[in-house]
Amino acid sequence: MPYPFEPYKIKIFDAIKVLSKSERIKALQEANYNLFKIPSEKVTIDLLTDSGTSALSQEQLSQMMLGDETYASSKSWERFETAVKNFTGKKEVIPVHQGRAAEKIIAEALLDKNDVAFSNSFFDTTRANFEHRGATCFDIPTEKAIDLSKPKLFKGDIDAKKLRKLLGRYGKRAKFVLMTLTNNTGGGQPASFRNVELAGNIATKKGLKFIIDACRIAENAYFIWLHEQKKKDSIKNVIRNLFSLSDLAFMSTKKDGLANSGGFIVTNDKSLAAKLRELTVLYEGFVTYGGMTGREMETIARGLEEVVNPTYLAHRIGQIAYLHNELTKIAVPLIHPPGGHAVYVDAGKFFSHIPQNEFPGQALVAALYQEGGIRSVEIGSLMLGKTSKPELVRLAVPRRTYAQSHFDYVVETFKKISKNKKQYRGFKITWQPSTLRHFTCKLKPIN
Ligand SMILES: Cc1ncc(COP(=O)(O)O)c(C=O)c1O
């Protein structure tokens, strides 16, 4: 299935080094089988994350040269603030250095011990920041998301019935409802406009805040525009309409900001904004840069304009669908349908000979590196602990970075692994930190 050709020409490139298999095995051992510790020059195709890995456009690079690095109220801040207001339609803009900084600030402003929050699915850092405040977080995806292999639309929806029930059960302990767009932990699947609106209405009726994690809101809006609104409105308007449903939204601009860093919180609530700004000064920096340089704010300001382009989004979503389709052809079990930023492999099924407590996802991550120098990430028991049901491996596609031949190489590597799956073993953890263990833990293959 072809997809629209790259809507850009290559002007500057970053050469890819290809190591031998024995060099890759050595690199794996040296990294204690944790792919986060493999030096990037030893990686052939890096599908670890789509976060902060986007290629910049020539316009972003040239605008960067205008970076105003004065401490307060710089020209870059003015351009950033205007672009964020234009993108979101919100009046109050609070800058932060990346998404989890926003999560930390929101957690401190809105959550206390024993509070409860609900989501279609919380991303790992979001959950960790909220739980760090002593709150409890509930993921309530819909039934249609449970069957990974069924290609149902809008599997990123929240289960409204269960949400009502849980809100009733937790009463005053319930603090807010959060929609992650797209639902990263749940397979990069979009939520429908109708579902986001419904979740917002349910929260409002209970007097709770409705929050949007907008990291990939442009990709989510593309699916809404294509399938729900049948291309009637513009993608830019769909995005603004989504933001308008929220009381508060935050965005890591390392994703749909088409930038290598940064983020923001937005709201129309002046008194909430004032509270968030106090915490921003404490943790991030002055309220007109929030931990970002002027140059970074310039790339984001421009990136937020570029990301709403339908040609860009058709290519982006087309790339994911291509990789998804080619892997489906060779019977790799995946989450269906393809989502917005990544292909998710059902590693529990693919490596069915490896039990859950031996991390089949991590075994596949290690195998992909060993056989092809491909870096991916486990989203299963290693990352999420006991809350995880499916053992997934995410192949996240950096924006504007790879072309079709790179994806064909990934498919060839899967073919190699598929030929003799039983040779790959499970893992055990030899050391782990107290939180977010997947980033730094050490592992050992089980003999
Ligand atoms: C859905 C979602 N929310 C929040 C974050 C956190 O953003 P950051 O990595 O900028 O801290 C991420 C990062 O991948 C994410 O995917």
Side-chain angles (χ1 to χ4, degrees):
M1 187 186 71
Y3 62 94
F5 62 75
E6 277 66 39
Y8 44 82
K9 295 184 289 181
I10 297 167
K11 253 191 184 171
I12 296 176
F13 66 84
D14 187 357
I16 293 176
K17 233 181 173 180
V18 183
L19 271 61
S20 67
K21 183 167 170 178
S22 58
E23 285 171 323
R24 291 195 295 259
I25 290 173
K26 191 162 169 265
L28 271 175
Q29 286 162 349
E30 284 169 0
N32 297 109
Y33 299 91
N34 187 330
L35 277 280
F36 284 92
K37 284 191 251 171
I38 303 252
S40 73
E41 61 170 11
K42 293 186 177 174
V43 176
T44 307
I45 306 283
D46 205 340
L47 305 180
L48 181 75
T49 178
D50 64 320
S51 178
T53 51
S54 169
L56 298 180
S57 67
Q58 61 182 359
E59 286 75 15
Q60 281 176 297
L61 273 175
S62 61
Q63 202 166 312
M64 230 170 146
M65 292 299 123
L66 301 176
D68 175 0
E69 303 301 343
T70 49
Y71 186 90
S73 305
S74 67
K75 281 182 251 156
S76 297
W77 159 251
E78 280 172 24
R79 279 189 281 269
F80 175 87
E81 189 189 29
T82 304
V84 174
K85 282 182 177 171
N86 190 25
F87 183 69
T88 65
K90 295 278 195 220
K91 294 192 186 99
E92 305 291 328
V93 180
I94 296 132
V96 290
H97 82 277
Q98 67 178 93
R100 72 201 66 180
E103 292 159 1
K104 179 179 184 205
I105 288 167
I106 291 168
E108 190 163 332
L110 298 183
L111 288 174
D112 268 318
K113 212 170 172 211
N114 296 326
D115 285 346
V116 182
F118 307 91
S119 178
N120 50 347
S121 292
F122 290 97
F123 184 63
D124 63 351
T125 59
T126 323
R127 173 180 283 278
N129 270 297
F130 293 174
E131 289 180 348
H132 193 64
R133 291 284 298 167
T136 303
C137 293
F138 283 103
D139 288 348
I140 30 180
T142 55
E143 288 294 320
K144 65 184 169 188
I146 313 271
D147 185 346
L148 304 186
S149 61
K150 280 224 171 92
K152 294 244 169 90
L153 265 176
F154 299 119
K155 278 179 156 181
D157 284 351
I158 194 167
D159 189 326
K161 215 168 151 189
K162 272 195 202 145
L163 174 62
R164 282 197 193 94
K165 218 168 154 186
L166 286 167
L167 288 174
R169 187 185 307 163
Y170 285 95
K172 286 211 168 92
R173 286 177 62 194
K175 284 290 145 19
F176 56 74
V177 177
L178 182 149
M179 287 294 286
T180 308
L181 305 179
T182 57
N183 189 349
N184 189 0
T185 318
Q189 298 290 320
S192 68
F193 190 87
R194 201 193 312 180
N195 183 262
V196 181
E197 191 171 37
L198 180 60
N201 286 340
I202 294 172
T204 308
K205 265 195 196 138
K206 288 270 175 196
L208 305 180
K209 295 242 174 297
F210 183 57
I211 303 178
I212 289 180
D213 173 346
C215 284
R216 299 180 180 85
I217 197 164
E219 288 163 6
N220 198 112
Y222 182 80
F223 285 101
I224 291 175
W225 175 76
L226 194 63
H227 299 294
E228 202 179 1
Q229 307 196 344
K230 311 284 182 216
K231 301 189 185 179
K232 274 192 213 121
D233 205 349
S234 70
I235 292 169
K236 196 174 164 186
N237 273 346
V238 178
I239 293 171
R240 285 176 69 121
N241 291 338
L242 282 167
F243 275 111
S244 76
L245 300 172
S246 71
D247 299 300
L248 182 68
F250 65 96
M251 178 165 179
S252 161
T253 48
K254 298 175 78 169
K255 286 85 172 170
D256 277 351
L258 297 180
N260 305 123
S261 63
F264 59 78
I265 308 173
V266 285
T267 180
N268 285 337
D269 181 337
K270 276 204 163 114
S271 67
L272 176 60
K275 197 168 171 187
L276 297 170
R277 283 197 179 99
E278 273 183 36
L279 294 167
T280 302
V281 175
L282 194 61
Y283 296 131
E284 292 291 280
F286 189 57
V287 292
T288 60
Y289 73 89
M292 290 179 283
T293 62
R295 284 185 275 269
E296 286 167 333
M297 289 193 280
E298 296 287 355
T299 61
I300 298 161
R302 175 73 201 184
L304 291 175
E305 282 173 29
E306 292 178 3
V307 79
V308 300
N309 182 336
T311 307
Y312 157 75
L313 280 167
H315 171 261
R316 165 84 181 144
I317 303 300
Q319 272 199 329
I320 312 297
Y322 176 79
L323 177 59
H324 189 280
N325 197 49
E326 295 305 303
L327 289 175
T328 303
K329 277 190 203 159
I330 58 162
V332 176
L334 305 173
I335 293 190
H336 290 262
H341 69 290
V343 172
Y344 291 69
V345 182
D346 185 347
K349 234 184 195 171
F350 187 75
F351 274 168
S352 56
H353 62 288
I354 300 175
Q356 187 174 29
N357 62 358
E358 293 180 10
F359 307 118
Q362 192 59 20
L364 178 56
V365 163
L368 282 166
Y369 182 77
Q370 181 178 301
E371 303 304 337
I374 297 160
R375 179 151 65 172
S376 55
V377 71
E378 191 259 15
I379 300 190
S381 304
L382 185 69
M383 180 189 270
L384 305 167
K386 286 186 203 126
T387 61
S388 176
K389 285 210 183 83
E391 297 294 325
L392 301 174
V393 166
R394 187 186 70 180
L395 308 169
V397 179
R399 294 168 181 80
R400 309 191 289 206
T401 303
Y402 292 118
Q404 186 174 323
S405 51
H406 296 114
F407 300 124
D408 292 338
Y409 173 81
V410 173
V411 176
E412 287 308 309
T413 307
F414 266 96
K415 276 187 197 162
K416 228 186 250 176
I417 297 170
S418 297
K419 273 188 196 144
N420 186 7
K421 290 185 193 173
K422 293 255 162 79
Q423 71 173 297
Y424 302 102
R425 294 165 289 159
F427 282 88
K428 72 174 178 199
I429 297 173
T430 58
W431 177 85
Q432 59 180 310
S434 61
T435 182
L436 295 172
R437 70 180 177 187
H438 59 290
F439 286 126
T440 53
C441 70
K442 295 180 182 174
L443 298 133
K444 204 171 126 184
I446 292 169
N447 290 315

